[in-house]
Amino acid sequence: MDLEEKDKPEEASRLFLQAWNEATNDFEKFIAAYYVARHQKNVPDKLKWLETALQFALKINNDSVKGAFASLYMSIAKCYEDLNDLDNAKTNYELANSFTGELSDKGPFYHGTKADLKVGDFLTAGYGSNYHSELTMNHIYFTALVNGAGLAAALAKGDGRERVYIVEPTGSFENDPNVTNKRFPGNPTRSYHTQEPLKIVGEVTDWMRQTPEELQKWHEKLANNKGEIIN
């Protein structure tokens, strides 16, 4: 993926194919096939790899991959359209449109911060971003992966200790658009955002903490990130 960003598609394609050949589980095969598909030079080969990625996603069929179904079916439909197979194109466009509505993730959910809060408190939107100080956030973010919340806590502003709270959404929520189908297909970090408050129902203290070196790399990455936050 780094080679892709450096505009070295041939080298990237070779490594994605190597990733496919060395994949040891369905999730690795899904990710690898998805990226191999992106580097195919003709439509039939692209279609073959997209359908391969889809088959592994369907086998996994959990909240880490469900966010990818709409875009996968849409890309497959476009391939069939380019091949003038309009019946299959229509079927796959309809399948893409069917993957909308309420999310199925039941949690538990976590929010990482350095704020000292207690059970029963509510987390709300309207505060400054941890990553762009000039930006006021319209949403509050959370994840179903405790280690992801732990990383967020480590990167959060403030001088307090890192806290990971167990939270319950009080209203509807959506896939975090800043990560879903961006660097990876679907929402493998199970990250979400909501405009409604999150209620704190507990706290966890055991998660995988980053080393100082790893945190420094994250801070450098965030400092160099010029991408716009979807808010």
Side-chain angles (χ1 to χ4, degrees):
M1 293 167 73
D2 184 55
L3 289 169
E4 268 191 339
E5 294 173 359
K6 293 177 179 177
D7 198 25
K8 298 180 179 180
E10 298 298 332
E11 294 177 52
S13 178
R14 177 178 56 80
L15 287 178
F16 285 133
L17 188 59
Q18 182 178 341
W20 164 260
N21 289 329
E22 296 184 11
T24 59
N25 59 54
D26 290 344
F27 189 80
E28 290 179 355
K29 291 175 182 177
F30 157 63
I31 294 287
Y34 174 87
Y35 279 101
V36 171
R38 294 201 336 182
H39 285 266
Q40 297 309 301
K41 293 181 169 56
N42 62 68
V43 175
D45 286 344
K46 182 177 182 180
L47 176 60
K48 180 190 75 172
W49 282 104
L50 283 170
E51 290 186 326
T52 299
L54 175 63
Q55 291 309 308
F56 281 106
L58 289 169
K59 286 177 66 177
I60 300 164
N61 197 32
N62 63 27
D63 292 295
S64 66
V65 302
K66 286 179 180 177
F69 285 138
S71 61
L72 275 172
Y73 280 118
M74 191 70 69
S75 297
I76 289 170
K78 181 64 170 61
C79 287
Y80 278 119
E81 192 172 54
D82 291 342
L83 294 170
N84 204 34
D85 186 343
L86 301 185
D87 288 339
N88 271 320
K90 180 175 182 292
T91 296
N92 282 278
Y93 278 129
E94 290 173 348
L95 286 166
N97 290 332
S98 71
F99 282 93
T100 57
E102 290 294 316
L103 300 176
S104 62
D105 203 330
K106 304 302 182 186
F109 298 118
Y110 309 95
H111 177 88
T113 180
K114 289 189 174 75
D116 186 5
L117 304 168
K118 62 182 183 297
V119 171
D121 286 347
F122 289 87
L123 296 158
T124 60
Y127 291 89
S129 167
N130 282 322
Y131 313 118
H132 290 273
S133 57
E134 73 284 358
L135 183 65
T136 299
M137 301 305 293
N138 297 324
H139 296 80
I140 186 81
Y141 290 77
F142 60 102
T143 174
L145 302 185
V146 66
N147 290 334
L151 174 60
L155 297 174
K157 294 177 181 177
D159 298 322
R161 69 179 177 88
E162 299 163 12
R163 315 290 289 264
V164 173
Y165 296 107
I166 307 169
V167 297
E168 287 182 354
T170 62
S172 62
F173 58 92
E174 304 170 315
N175 283 315
D176 178 354
N178 296 287
V179 297
T180 305
N181 290 322
K182 292 299 178 66
R183 194 163 176 82
F184 294 99
N187 186 0
T189 60
R190 292 171 67 190
S191 300
Y192 307 102
H193 75 181
T194 179
Q195 292 183 312
E196 305 300 326
L198 299 175
K199 183 179 181 180
I200 297 175
V201 297
E203 182 175 358
V204 295
T205 57
D206 185 19
W207 68 86
M208 185 182 296
R209 286 166 168 79
Q210 305 284 313
T211 66
E213 294 76 18
E214 289 170 334
L215 276 179
Q216 181 59 34
K217 289 180 180 178
W218 274 104
H219 282 296
E220 291 172 358
K221 180 180 179 181
L222 291 171
N224 294 325
N225 183 18
K226 306 302 180 184
E228 180 182 359
I229 291 179
I230 301 172
N231 188 28

